[in-house]
Amino acid sequence: MALQTLIHASPIDYAILIVYFAFVLGIGYMARHQISDSLDFFLSGRRLPAWVTGLAFVSANLGAVEIMGMSANGAQLGLPTLHYFWVGAVPAMLFLGVVMMPFYYGSGVRSVPEFMLKRFGPAAHLVNSLSFALAQLLIAGVNLYLLGSIVHALLGWPLWVALIVAAIIVLAYITFGGLSAAIYNEVLQFFVIIAGLLPMVLIGLHRVGGWGGLKAKITEAAAAHPGKIVPASQQLDSWPGQALSGFDNPVLSVIGIVFGLGFVLGFGYWTTNFVEVQRAMASKSLSDARRTPIIGTFPKMLVPFVTVLPGVLAAVLVPEIAATKAGQTVSGGASGTVTYNDSVLYLIQDLLPNGLIGLAITGLLAAFMAGMAANISAFNTVFSVDIWQHYVKKDKPDEYYVKVGRIATVAASIIAIGTAAIASNYSNIMDYLQTLFGFFNAPLFATFILGMFWKRSTPAAGWSGLASGTLAAVAVWLPSALGVYSLSGQGISFVAAAAGFVVDIVVSVVVSLFTRPKPAEQLVGLVYSETPKESLQDPEEKNQPWYKRTVPLAGVALVLVIILNVLF
């Protein structure tokens, strides 16, 4: 029986959805009146406070990756999935706030590729702009596909109708209000998502007999299916994380997670992905921009308890997910065959009464709309500012580029309907997403970190390192996709990302030694050694209390994440 025939939303569930959508479109319409130029449309006029941009920073990432991807990983692998948050996210977010935001914000750029233009020149800028734009269209398709699948499965709408309706709603409020509409909606969506998912977790824990009962059931299931289910000891402890890394050797597993996930993929994603950086760049001051990702680390540390834990619960509470984990093929789910991506859907079906169903559906819709909106708003900025303005139509009036941004938003929403088909081929959506991050973010991080801290890195090294790193990541991944070799978990993504990073560094260093660097005076504000230290921090910050100062706040977050890694 298909999942869509098992859930019947009541009038109260639909009422909750209608109220939410009214708020979303209303926020977009009201934000429209704040737009007078391209800075307003693309970066909210740089006037938003840190607590707003900090929550939006987390909410922009609280889409398909967090909800379906992390719950799927939780169901399949267990607690090692926590590494995506406490190793692969928080340290990189702290580094972004403390070290990198002064360069982004202080240079006055409107996008990450525009920073590449100033540091490395047009060739590296064009390579980065095109690869980033492609990545956002692919990832927007992930969010849209999962959003459409949920509406199809839980409300009974045809999938193509669900995709089009979801795309139109996101399109409407981004086109109306630009980045301000996206950010304000992301703050609203953050609270809606938590309110939608938390009751499911609490009811699920009660159903299994608390944390102790959950551990007992995982142990029982693993013992009943040896060789098919990850051993209970690996599911219930995040370290050394062999289930996630794919390496049997504990030492290699820890190295793979710390270097492959924590450094290459984590730092590569959080410090160079304009979807996230754009939120911080919309802040009203340098101090607020630096604190944006740091403020975001505090809710980020808690997010796995409402994303990973539902998947872990589904693996022992939902017969269909348990059978899938044991290697059986089960009919049902959002696509006709049950996959780990269906974990949250089945929990909603099995655990929640009417009313709470509407709240949970609203939370999921909010999550995927937040994710898609973040991708689309970042795409329209890069397309309009970095591609169209630089290489197609220069020196046009400001309102012309705002119009181009709105047209790009429409085009991206339509294209995302097409790229959603690619995402439908993966039973665990995290496999697909980590592959994309390895292709696009890991090489970019290598280029950035080298260019920001080594003044000898040349413009020729910028584009050649970036291109070769991306090709290297694809070259490592492709034989695995063709079945030549494989690693369990997301191991192949870690290895491909590491290869892209290393090749990028090596090529960049070699090319730099044989080509001419930029003069030192052109690197002020772009390279650490050439930038006056006083320009890297807000002079007013020293008079603020500790929780409004960048470094002390980052220190507290670092201590908390270390404690969480020790406890779990």
Side-chain angles (χ1 to χ4, degrees), residues 139-200:
I139 298 172
V142 173
N143 284 291
L144 185 59
Y145 164 69
L146 292 173
L147 174 55
S149 296
I150 287 171
V151 174
H152 166 70
L154 298 180
L155 303 181
W157 296 355
L159 183 58
W160 67 272
V161 173
L163 289 174
I164 293 174
V165 169
I168 288 173
I169 292 173
V170 175
L171 170 65
Y173 75 76
I174 296 293
T175 305
F176 276 153
L179 183 62
S180 290
I183 287 179
Y184 288 133
N185 267 310
E186 283 160 5
V187 173
L188 168 66
Q189 287 160 342
F190 177 81
F191 294 106
V192 171
I193 291 163
I194 299 302
L197 297 178
L198 188 58
M200 182 171 58

Side-chain angles (χ1 to χ4, degrees), residues 79-95:
L79 295 189
T81 307
L82 296 173
H83 290 314
Y84 279 105
F85 299 86
W86 301 339
V87 174
V90 171
M93 292 166 69
L94 296 176
F95 183 80

Side-chain angles (χ1 to χ4, degrees), residues 60-74:
N61 187 250
L62 197 52
V65 177
E66 304 288 299
I67 309 300
M68 300 297 265
M70 293 304 176
S71 65
N73 257 5

Side-chain angles (χ1 to χ4, degrees), residues 96-338:
L96 171 64
V98 173
V99 177
M100 295 186 73
M101 276 315 303
F103 293 96
Y104 285 139
Y105 196 89
S107 63
V109 299
R110 291 168 292 179
S111 68
V112 170
E114 194 171 8
F115 183 89
M116 290 285 283
L117 176 65
K118 289 191 172 186
R119 176 60 183 90
F120 291 108
H125 172 252
L126 181 60
V127 171
N128 181 210
S129 299
L130 293 174
S131 65
F132 179 84
L134 175 61
Q136 296 320 300
L137 293 175
L138 292 171
I139 298 172
V142 173
N143 284 291
L144 185 59
Y145 164 69
L146 292 173
L147 174 55
S149 296
I150 287 171
V151 174
H152 166 70
L154 298 180
L155 303 181
W157 296 355
L159 183 58
W160 67 272
V161 173
L163 289 174
I164 293 174
V165 169
I168 288 173
I169 292 173
V170 175
L171 170 65
Y173 75 76
I174 296 293
T175 305
F176 276 153
L179 183 62
S180 290
I183 287 179
Y184 288 133
N185 267 310
E186 283 160 5
V187 173
L188 168 66
Q189 287 160 342
F190 177 81
F191 294 106
V192 171
I193 291 163
I194 299 302
L197 297 178
L198 188 58
M200 182 171 58
V201 173
L202 296 176
I203 294 171
L205 281 174
H206 176 74
R207 186 75 61 87
V208 298
W211 185 250
L214 178 60
K215 292 171 68 175
K217 288 185 177 296
I218 289 174
T219 302
E220 179 184 340
H225 301 280
K228 293 185 177 179
I229 294 181
V230 175
S233 60
Q234 294 184 20
Q235 292 189 62
L236 295 172
D237 290 300
S238 63
W239 295 103
Q242 296 102 317
L244 179 64
S245 69
F247 294 106
D248 293 329
N249 185 290
V251 176
L252 289 178
S253 180
V254 170
I255 292 173
I257 289 171
V258 172
F259 181 71
L261 173 61
F263 182 66
V264 176
L265 278 172
F267 275 65
Y269 177 84
W270 292 99
T271 65
T272 66
N273 188 358
F274 185 52
V275 173
E276 312 301 334
V277 174
Q278 187 182 31
R279 272 75 195 146
M281 290 168 68
S283 300
K284 63 182 181 181
S285 69
L286 173 58
S287 178
D288 283 53
R290 296 182 75 194
R291 286 186 292 116
T292 289
I294 297 170
I295 290 171
T297 62
F298 292 95
K300 187 69 175 179
M301 291 182 214
L302 303 178
V303 164
F305 294 108
V306 293
T307 55
V308 177
L309 202 50
V312 179
L313 288 165
V316 297
L317 278 176
V318 178
E320 293 88 347
I321 300 296
T324 298
K325 192 170 183 177
Q328 301 176 32
T329 300
V330 183
S331 298
S335 60
T337 300
V338 175

Side-chain angles (χ1 to χ4, degrees), residues 32-46:
R32 183 182 188 182
H33 300 294
Q34 298 181 9
I35 295 176
S36 59
D37 57 24
S38 63
L39 186 65
D40 286 336
F41 187 77
F42 296 124
L43 288 179
S44 301
R46 285 190 162 175

